Amino acid sequence: MTATSWTRETLDRIQEIMDASLRTAGTVQRSFFGKEERRLDAQAFLRTWNGIYMCAAATQGSGPWPHLAGIKLEFDAEGELSMLLYQGGAREADLRANPRTVLQKQDDDGTVLTVYARAEVPDDEPVIDRRGRAHIQVRLVPVRIYAMGPYVSGPLSRPDRAGNGRA
Amino acid sequence: MTATSWTRETLDRIQEIMDASLRTAGTVQRSFFGKEERRLDAQAFLRTWNGIYMCAAATQGSGPWPHLAGIKLEFDAEGELSMLLYQGGAREADLRANPRTVLQKQDDDGTVLTVYARAEVPDDEPVIDRRGRAHIQVRLVPVRIYAMGPYVSGPLSRPDRAGNGRA
């Protein structure tokens, strides 16, 4: 279920990750995500994230290729992420060998939301969906978060969407 | 400049990559990208790709984390991709060590477009942009392409967008 509000405690925890991420960002990364006029606070970040359906999820392959999947992924009321993982796919093999994943949601208004997270892959029995695919639910713990809101100037900015959120 | 039409030769080349990619896909991947009713042909793929602004670009880090950037990236009239690469960032270091990158564009209507590509990083002198960041242009050669059009049924389908393209 899509959460649309969070406790002060959850917001503070997410905000701390966002602030620490920006503090330790490299120069190039800070030149993008550090723009004052486009920064999002924890609440705007969470609402914007859950307001976008598709998420790109990158994992490190054991071979020479990284992998990238298009999935559905939302923050729950506790500010955690639960990812559906199909058994037998590249993403499952990747995460069992290396639990680090990077997630990104974006909007053509310039919004870019990036979450570095660790996956906790359980030993649960898989569930079979109606297409016959086996899957398990994997908990993701955010480690770093970078968030950038819509363009505020230039040809792609949309003045009607100004403000740090889309709630 | 955004291309909106391509020669028969370019379309045939892209179509061959798309067909070969699906033929050699794993079971989980084929269960997503192989849906007959949502397949895109080369022209619909290229137009849809160029009609979406933001692209997620994954690279394999030399450390334990994959990297994921939100960038602008379009096919030119020759059906090739030219990526702007900032010097000193994680993506530059990654691609110089391992030129493999996975790109994804997506839309909340269910569209998912994924391109596995090899980067050809030149020894050119960098260009300095107005924020003082140095960058070079990197050519990307598509190796595998997976494309899935909008939902055609279910709560997120949009009947007004039916058809395999958004041209």
Side-chain angles (χ1 to χ4, degrees), chain B residues 10-82:
Chain B
T10 296
L11 293 174
D12 287 347
R13 180 166 49 80
I14 296 290
Q15 189 69 55
E16 268 174 38
I17 299 174
M18 296 174 74
D19 292 345
S21 301
L22 201 55
R23 268 199 310 275
T24 56
T27 309
V28 171
Q29 200 163 30
R30 191 179 301 117
S31 78
F32 285 95
F33 290 104
K35 298 184 185 82
E36 269 311 316
E37 69 279 16
R38 292 173 63 187
R39 284 182 66 177
L40 301 182
D41 63 16
Q43 173 135 311
F45 161 73
L46 289 166
R47 284 189 176 167
T48 305
W49 181 279
N50 280 6
I52 299 174
Y53 186 75
M54 291 298 303
C55 177
T59 51
Q60 196 124 305
S62 59
W65 284 96
H67 290 125
L68 197 48
I71 61 172
K72 172 177 169 16
L73 189 63
E74 290 169 2
F75 282 97
D76 65 19
E78 281 70 47
E80 297 186 346
L81 296 154
S82 176

Side-chain angles (χ1 to χ4, degrees), chain A residues 24-94:
Chain A
T24 56
T27 309
V28 170
Q29 201 164 28
R30 191 179 302 114
S31 78
F32 285 96
F33 289 104
K35 298 184 185 81
E36 268 311 317
E37 70 279 17
R38 291 174 63 187
R39 284 181 67 178
L40 301 182
D41 63 15
Q43 173 136 311
F45 162 73
L46 289 167
R47 283 189 177 166
T48 305
W49 181 279
N50 280 6
I52 299 174
Y53 186 75
M54 291 297 304
C55 176
T59 52
Q60 197 124 304
S62 59
W65 285 95
H67 290 125
L68 198 47
I71 61 173
K72 172 177 172 13
L73 188 64
E74 290 169 1
F75 281 97
D76 64 18
E78 281 70 48
E80 296 187 345
L81 296 155
S82 176
M83 181 169 72
L84 190 148
L85 189 62
Y86 287 100
Q87 288 205 315
R91 197 155 37 99
E92 188 206 2
D94 289 355

